């Protein structure tokens, strides 16, 4: 059993109740191939980051990292109340070039070296700013059971004696400090994975840990690629979500192992077993999970296609059952009776009575 | 359960959008209206093309093949048209600007931030920047009537049979408003949503433009041809957005809901606010007093808008009634003291028609929607499980207060409290400016921290 990437864990954290998503986080490489194998169709919607969006992101990061990361140092030093000129920078992206997923081992080794120096009190060797460190977060145990994550940077908070993570995103901060909430959701979850991984690395190195659940976020100003002053955000909720997702991943790994017992691997790949995994279709799946169109089709009779609130209200009752429930309303008790009373109140707010609702939903 | 969930179930079953209100919550168009449909560079939030113009005419399209070059000359025609429209419309007492969706409005807001005080830009573009900024500020006012964002306004009037997340796509909303004959509306809506409704080009077009921009850099010989192709793609994208905007506007006004002419007062209020901003340009407020005034404005607009909607929309009143903040009642007794007699009594007894519960208590202000009586609750009595009785003290509308009057009543008053609040701010600013500004107070002898405050207090007490 191995883990594909931290991206899968982030997605699983958005909907920790979905077994299918957890199994996908464990095994799916090319999502469009997986979609085709499961559904027999090509994925119909836009997939992946656009070239233009990617270009801005990398331009923003390159801009922050120029001249020994001078713009980033300046912004962070304002916050940490240190002298930016005295900050010692190690840019692992330059030192070990290449995509992070191929350079994990070397970068991880160097990152751990910094932490060991920190514990040993060799302050002069400990960088204040590490660009693209690599961290390990064990999930399943075994040699391939970890995710490796490369946050944009880690900055040493000398007053606390720990590294704190940071993300650089080219989202624009409007006057008053507004960044779109939806833009931030994935970044926050990704950073939460990083915080858990850093906690593991700190513990491994023997750093005495204060309970830090915060991270730096560096966004762009509206004027070109200039970095805005950093925001420090507490990520308690996101960390909780990632921890729940890790539990889900472990359960999915166990289930996969059980399903494959005594079955040849060529007929027990994940697409072959997709029907065995429970789905939990939520609004958050739309546009985020490649299987959302399939799950929505599978749930088309249920209330979940009407949104999360409808899922919570209707529970196991299908909207098509409403006329029948309304016809038997006097005899209903328990959850069904409560649902009809709730529907009567909602109907009144629409200026309708229950008989009209029965007619309109028949 | 919100009524919207049930309405979604109905819409799903009926195969078309379901109206959740009985009247429009925006006034009909008055005078010429202006439309803006921008196309931005993905993630850059920089505009690369805009289709704009009077919505009864063919649009004009401006575009810049290299938007990252920071050139702004291509915006001159747009700036000219917007500046003229805004200034003429405000002078004529009517202004309405349509946007297809929130990303289009956000795009304009960022143009405001970038150009309003940009020394490299021309006066026309700086003026446009200022207009863009105050258009965005006005759009944030609750219930404002001048700036229409189609996705938002449609969602305030109807729900679809899909999840709220999918309603963010204007194209998808339009399919639910006018479903295809004989087809599965949910599938058709999903297919429509494959084209983004977010002021960006379609994926294939975006990739093609990116490729052509690289070609221009690498092969100067083909630069002119590549530029022409980029501009053609940009123009097509902007015109498609414009066309969806026009279609949305037409479909929205064809919903067949009741008009609400009372909202014209709110429109007049919005335009007056805008006119003052045009006459006296001011930066975005950041100081405490100015921010308080903005919140007071918001509070006022929110109450006016809510009040005007409740009066005109029976469903809105019904929701207020079910929430316990509105009721139907008849005046059963009247106890008014004679003119000049003390104490002055202006009491009415109200018998409330059965309703599940009431959220009123002593001291709550209420008003009659038809009678326009304003009163304050003096006592609440419960006759049986669903029957309540009130004694209220009338503050205005005495002549309408007659025994037998049956009216719809709601919590809250519509008084404009901005002027008295403003007087309070003036008084506070005069007496304690240091509380509301960034400047520290000048050290006065009595406030010198080196003074022994206890000794000073004793001294003052002895003097008294």
């Amino acid at each position: 059993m191995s883990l594909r990437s931290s991206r899968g864990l982030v997605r699983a954290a958005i909907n920790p109740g979905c077994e299918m998503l957890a199994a996908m986080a464990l095994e799916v490489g090319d999502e469009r191939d997986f979609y085709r194998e499961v559904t027999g169709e090509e994925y119909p919607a836009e997939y992946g980051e656009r070239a233009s969006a990617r270009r801005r992101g990398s331009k923003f990061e390159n801009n922050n990292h120029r001249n020994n990361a001078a713009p980033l140092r300046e912004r962070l030093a304002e916050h940490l109340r240190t002298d930016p000129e005295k900050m010692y920078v190690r840019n692992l992206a330059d030192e070990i070039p290449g995509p992070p997923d191929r350079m994990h081992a070397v970068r991880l080794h160097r990152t751990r070296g910094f932490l060991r120096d920190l514990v040993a009190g060799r302050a002069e060797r400990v960088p204040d700013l590490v660009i693209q460190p690599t961290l390990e977060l064990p999930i399943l145990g075994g040699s391939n059971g970890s995710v490796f994550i490369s946050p944009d940077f880690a900055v040493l908070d000398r007053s606390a004696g720990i590294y704190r993570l940071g993300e650089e995103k080219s989202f624009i901060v409007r006057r008053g400090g507004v960044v779109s909430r939806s833009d931030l959701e994935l970044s926050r979850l990704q950073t939460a994975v990083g915080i858990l991984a850093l906690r593991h690395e700190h513990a491994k190195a023997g750093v005495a840990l204060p309970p830090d659940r915060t991270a730096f976020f560096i966004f762009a100003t509206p004027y070109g690629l200039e970095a805005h002053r950093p925001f420090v955000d507490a990520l308690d909720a996101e960390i909780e979500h990632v921890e729940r997702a890790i539990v889900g991943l472990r359960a999915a790994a166990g289930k996969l192992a059980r399903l494959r017992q005594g079955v040849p691997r060529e007929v027990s790949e994940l697409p072959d077993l997709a029907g065995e995994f429970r789905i939990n279709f939520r609004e958050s799946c739309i546009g985020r999970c490649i299987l959302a169109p399939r799950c929505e089709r599978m749930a088309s009779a249920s209330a979940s296609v009407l949104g999360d609130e409808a899922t919570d209200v209707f529970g196991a009752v299908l909207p098509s059952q409403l006329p029948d429930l309304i016809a038997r309303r006097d005899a209903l008790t328990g959850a069904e009776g409560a649902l009809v009373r709730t529907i009567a109140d909602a109907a009144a707010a629409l200026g309708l009575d229950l008989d009209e609702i029965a007619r309109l939903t028949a | 359960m919100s009524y919207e969930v049930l309405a979604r179930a109905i819409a799903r079953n009926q195969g078309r959008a379901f109206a959740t209100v009985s009247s429009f919550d925006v006034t009909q168009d008055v005078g010429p209206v202006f439309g803006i449909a921008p196309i931005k560079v993905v993630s850059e939030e920089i505009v690369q093309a805009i289709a704009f113009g009077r919505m009864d005419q063919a649009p004009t399209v401006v575009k810049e093949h290299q938007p990252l070059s920071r050139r702004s000359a291509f915006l001159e025609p747009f700036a000219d048209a917007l500046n003229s429209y805004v200034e003429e419309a405000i002078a004529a007492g009517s202004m309405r600007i349509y946007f297809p969706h929130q990303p289009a409005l956000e795009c304009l807001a960022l143009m405001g931030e970038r150009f309003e005080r940009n020394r490299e830009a021309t006066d026309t573009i700086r003026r446009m920047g200022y207009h863009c900024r105050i258009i965005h500020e006005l759009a944030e006012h609750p219930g404002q009537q001048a700036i229409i964002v189609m996705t938002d306004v449609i969602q305030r009037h109807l729900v679809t049979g899909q999840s709220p997340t999918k309603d963010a796509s204007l194209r998808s909303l339009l399919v639910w408003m006018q479903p295809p004959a004989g087809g599965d509306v949910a599938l058709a809506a999903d297919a429509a949503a494959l084209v983004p409704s977010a002021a960006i080009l379609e994926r294939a077009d975006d990739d093609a433009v990116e490729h052509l921009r690289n070609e221009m850099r690498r092969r100067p010989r083909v630069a002119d041809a590549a530029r022409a192709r980029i501009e053609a793609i940009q123009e097509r994208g902007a015109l498609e957005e414009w066309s969806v905007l026009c279609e949305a506007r037409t479909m929205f006004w064809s919903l067949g809901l009741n008009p609400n002419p009372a909202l014209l007062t709110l429109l007049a209020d919005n335009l007056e606010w805008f006119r003052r901003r045009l006459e006296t340009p001011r930066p975005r407020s950041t100081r405490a007093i100015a921010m308080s005034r903005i919140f007071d404005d918001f509070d006022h607009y929110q109450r006016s808008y809510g009040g005007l909607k409740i009066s005109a929309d029976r469903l809105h009143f019904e929701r207020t009634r079910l929430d316990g903040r509105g009721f139907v009642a008849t005046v059963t007794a009247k106890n008014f003291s004679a003119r000049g007699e003390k104490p002055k009594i202006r009491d009415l007894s109200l018998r409330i028609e059965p309703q599940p519960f009431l959220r009123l208590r002593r001291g709550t202000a209420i008003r009659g929607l038809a009678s326009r009586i304003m009163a304050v609750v003096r006592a609440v009595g419960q006759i049986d499980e669903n029957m309540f009785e009130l004694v209220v003290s009338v503050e205005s509308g005495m002549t309408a207060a007659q025994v037998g009057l049956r009216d719809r009543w709601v919590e809250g008053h519509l008084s404009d409290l901005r002027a008295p609040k403003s007087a309070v701010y003036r008084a506070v600013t005069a007496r304690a400016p240091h509380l509301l500004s960034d400047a520290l107070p000048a050290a006065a002898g009595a406030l010198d921290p080196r003074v022994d405050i206890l000794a000073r207090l004793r001294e003052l007490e002895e003097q008294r």
Side-chain angles (χ1 to χ4, degrees):
Chain A
M1 191 69 58
S2 67
L3 276 164
R4 285 294 179 170
S5 69
S6 62
R7 203 176 56 173
L9 178 57
V10 167
R11 296 218 180 132
I14 294 171
N15 185 358
C18 183
E19 275 186 3
M20 188 69 232
L21 195 56
M24 285 167 66
L26 293 171
E27 299 216 332
V28 174
D30 187 320
E31 291 191 323
R32 279 177 294 185
D33 285 349
F34 179 69
Y35 183 86
R36 195 184 310 113
E37 285 168 27
V38 171
T39 64
E41 302 162 4
E42 291 297 323
Y43 182 61
E46 187 173 331
Y47 180 83
E49 197 175 24
R50 291 189 180 197
S52 49
R54 211 164 37 236
R55 188 185 53 182
R56 178 179 167 82
S58 49
K59 260 187 178 177
F60 180 64
E61 286 178 16
N62 292 341
N63 196 51
N64 285 338
H65 301 166
R66 72 181 196 273
N67 300 333
N68 199 27
L72 188 58
R73 268 187 290 138
E74 203 166 305
R75 284 312 200 183
L76 290 169
E78 280 169 28
H79 191 89
L80 296 168
R81 294 167 195 261
T82 59
D83 181 356
E85 297 304 320
K86 290 185 180 160
M87 287 177 81
Y88 169 32
V89 181
R90 292 287 296 269
N91 187 337
L92 299 192
D94 285 348
E95 291 176 18
I96 309 147
D101 54 344
R102 289 190 207 153
M103 299 300 158
H104 283 326
V106 189
R107 288 188 187 177
L108 180 62
H109 179 70
R110 288 205 187 166
T111 309
R112 284 182 176 163
F114 303 147
L115 291 171
R116 279 195 299 273
D117 288 340
L118 181 66
V119 174
R122 292 187 284 265
E124 74 290 347
R125 292 174 60 174
V126 181
D128 294 275
L129 179 63
V130 185
I131 310 282
Q132 291 209 358
T134 293
L135 308 163
E136 181 190 5
L137 176 61
I139 306 274
L140 302 177
S143 58
N144 291 326
S146 296
V147 290
F148 296 90
I149 183 156
S150 292
D152 288 338
F153 64 85
V155 63
L156 182 62
D157 185 342
R158 290 197 183 265
S159 61
I162 54 164
Y163 276 104
R164 294 167 74 183
L165 298 185
E167 281 293 316
E168 294 160 274
K169 293 286 166 198
S170 58
F171 304 137
I172 289 171
V173 180
R174 299 270 311 286
R175 203 169 296 172
V178 182
V179 175
S180 163
R181 188 169 156 255
S182 59
D183 282 348
L184 284 184
E185 193 180 0
L186 289 177
S187 309
R188 290 168 64 91
L189 283 168
Q190 193 182 331
T191 312
V193 174
I195 288 176
L196 288 173
L198 181 62
R199 186 183 293 175
H200 167 256
E201 295 293 349
H202 271 148
K204 199 175 169 103
V207 178
L209 261 185
D212 183 53
R213 296 163 84 90
T214 61
F216 287 97
F217 287 90
I218 307 274
F219 302 116
T221 68
Y223 316 106
L225 292 166
E226 199 183 320
H228 194 273
R229 65 179 165 73
F231 290 84
V232 180
D233 235 345
L235 300 174
D236 300 67
E238 286 76 8
I239 290 171
E240 172 74 23
H241 278 245
V242 173
E243 284 172 338
R244 285 172 59 195
I246 290 172
V247 173
L249 255 61
R250 288 178 183 147
K255 185 166 182 172
L256 272 170
R258 279 197 306 280
L259 290 169
R260 283 173 178 157
Q261 263 176 1
V263 182
R265 184 63 193 241
E266 58 271 21
V267 291
S268 62
E269 294 294 345
L270 188 56
D272 305 313
L273 302 174
E276 302 294 327
F277 287 87
R278 188 170 49 81
I279 61 165
N280 179 33
F281 180 66
R282 307 290 293 180
E283 277 186 78
S284 57
C285 302
I286 298 166
R288 293 225 177 87
C289 174
I290 196 153
L291 282 190
R294 166 191 179 259
C295 297
E296 191 175 7
R297 269 202 302 273
M298 288 168 70
S300 64
S302 78
S304 56
V305 294
L306 304 176
D308 290 350
E309 192 189 348
T311 310
D312 298 341
V313 169
F314 279 88
V317 175
L318 304 178
S320 59
Q321 293 174 305
L322 277 185
D324 178 51
L325 287 180
I326 291 170
R328 297 188 290 116
R329 58 182 175 264
D330 294 335
L332 292 178
T333 54
E336 288 184 335
L339 177 62
V340 172
R341 282 193 296 280
T342 308
I343 285 169
D345 290 343
L350 290 169
L352 301 168
D353 60 29
L354 278 175
D355 293 327
E356 284 169 300
I357 296 297
R359 184 177 57 75
L360 289 168
T361 53
Chain B
M1 177 190 200
S2 77
Y3 61 86
E4 282 170 354
V5 170
L6 182 59
R8 280 185 193 280
I10 295 172
R12 183 82 176 191
N13 190 58
Q14 300 277 306
R16 65 181 312 119
F18 186 81
T20 53
V21 291
S22 64
S23 62
F24 286 112
D25 77 359
V26 287
T27 60
Q28 307 281 319
D29 291 341
V30 183
V33 296
F34 198 80
I36 301 176
I39 296 284
K40 62 181 183 179
V41 180
V42 179
S43 298
E44 284 282 359
E45 306 293 343
I46 289 179
V47 72
Q48 56 177 320
I50 310 177
F52 63 91
R54 307 268 168 125
M55 291 196 72
D56 52 355
Q57 297 168 5
T60 306
V61 179
V62 292
K63 61 257 175 191
E64 166 57 55
H65 68 287
Q66 286 287 15
L68 303 187
S69 67
R70 315 274 172 210
R71 283 191 291 262
S72 58
F74 78 105
L75 287 172
E76 289 282 346
F78 171 70
D80 255 338
L82 181 69
N83 294 349
S84 311
Y85 173 76
V86 164
E87 283 154 16
E88 285 166 22
I90 289 295
S94 69
M95 180 181 83
R96 176 154 287 173
I97 303 178
Y98 280 87
F99 292 89
H101 34 59
Q102 203 64 36
L105 178 62
E106 287 299 320
C107 199
L108 200 84
L110 274 166
M111 282 167 67
E113 294 214 13
R114 286 189 173 125
F115 291 116
E116 184 186 351
R117 279 173 290 169
N118 187 331
R119 288 186 199 142
E120 304 298 317
T122 61
D123 286 347
T124 312
I125 288 186
R126 274 201 297 274
R127 185 82 182 141
M128 173 207 75
Y130 179 65
H131 287 150
C132 290
R133 203 246 295 159
I134 57 174
I135 285 170
H136 185 245
E137 278 186 36
L138 176 59
E140 289 172 344
H141 288 188
Q144 60 79 26
Q145 299 286 308
I147 313 300
I148 305 282
V149 178
M150 284 316 311
T151 42
D152 296 1
V153 83
I154 289 172
Q155 288 179 64
R156 289 205 306 269
H157 290 77
L158 50 83
V159 298
T160 63
Q162 61 188 4
S163 66
T165 302
K166 288 187 168 185
D167 283 352
S169 163
L170 181 57
R171 285 178 166 84
S172 169
L173 281 176
L174 297 185
V175 172
W176 280 98
M177 289 168 79
Q178 202 165 71
D184 182 329
V185 62
L187 289 179
D190 284 351
L194 293 176
V195 180
S197 289
I200 54 176
L201 292 171
E202 281 190 59
R203 176 68 178 261
D205 286 343
D206 201 40
D207 290 347
V209 166
E210 277 295 302
H211 171 73
L212 289 164
R213 282 184 188 135
N214 287 337
E215 285 286 288
M216 284 181 75
R217 272 194 295 272
R218 281 202 302 262
R219 299 167 59 200
R221 274 192 311 116
V222 301
D224 287 346
R227 176 184 172 159
R229 285 177 61 197
I230 291 172
E231 288 181 346
I233 292 172
Q234 289 172 326
E235 179 153 351
R236 194 177 67 228
L239 286 174
E240 278 171 14
E241 284 280 288
W242 176 268
S243 144
V244 173
L245 171 63
C246 293
E247 194 184 347
R249 175 174 169 247
T250 308
M251 278 197 204
F252 174 70
W253 289 116
S254 312
L255 282 176
L257 302 170
N258 299 322
N260 186 354
L263 291 167
L264 282 169
T265 56
L266 206 49
L267 176 63
D269 214 352
N270 299 147
L271 298 185
E272 176 57 21
W273 178 92
F274 203 93
R275 191 188 59 72
R276 286 202 304 271
R277 287 292 184 282
L278 284 185
E279 283 176 0
T280 324
R282 56 171 73 171
R284 191 182 279 272
S285 310
T286 51
R287 303 282 285 273
I289 286 281
M291 294 296 282
S292 302
R293 287 205 171 97
I294 291 173
F295 294 138
D296 292 343
D297 278 347
F298 277 26
D299 178 52
H300 173 70
Y301 294 136
Q302 184 68 56
R303 281 187 296 111
S304 307
Y305 175 56
L308 294 168
K309 272 203 306 189
I310 285 179
S311 305
D313 195 308
R314 67 180 173 81
L315 292 176
H316 202 73
F317 172 75
E318 188 57 22
R319 280 161 211 157
T320 310
R321 192 182 77 79
L322 291 167
D323 194 35
R325 299 183 191 284
F327 54 92
V328 181
T330 306
V331 178
T332 53
K334 176 179 174 182
N335 179 19
F336 278 23
S337 55
R339 187 184 292 268
E341 189 183 329
K342 301 278 176 150
K344 191 172 166 185
I345 297 171
R346 296 279 184 272
D347 287 352
L348 293 179
S349 296
L350 302 178
R351 170 69 62 92
I352 298 176
E353 294 179 9
Q355 70 170 50
F357 55 91
L358 203 58
R359 288 186 200 269
L360 304 179
R361 60 182 174 182
R362 201 172 158 190
T364 306
I366 60 167
R367 62 195 165 86
L369 292 180
S371 61
R372 294 172 183 267
I373 294 171
M374 306 266 279
V376 174
V377 175
R378 288 191 51 229
V380 183
Q382 188 159 9
I383 300 165
D384 62 35
E385 196 186 346
N386 290 330
M387 293 282 282
F388 298 90
E389 205 167 42
L390 294 182
V391 177
V392 300
S393 179
V394 177
E395 295 198 326
S396 68
M398 317 284 177
T399 49
Q402 300 300 335
V403 174
L405 168 76
R406 182 177 179 273
D407 199 0
R408 295 176 301 156
W409 302 77
V410 290
E411 182 190 6
H413 53 76
L414 290 179
S415 315
D416 188 347
L417 301 175
R418 288 175 295 174
K421 281 184 179 174
S422 205
V424 172
Y425 298 143
R426 276 197 300 277
V428 172
T429 313
R431 291 179 65 177
H434 57 283
L435 293 178
L436 300 155
S437 75
D438 297 334
L440 290 169
L447 292 174
D448 189 329
R450 289 166 300 181
V451 171
D452 182 341
I453 293 173
L454 281 174
R456 177 74 180 134
L457 275 173
R458 273 185 227 112
E459 198 181 306
L460 285 169
E461 276 175 7
E462 280 163 20
Q463 282 173 11
R464 198 170 60 181

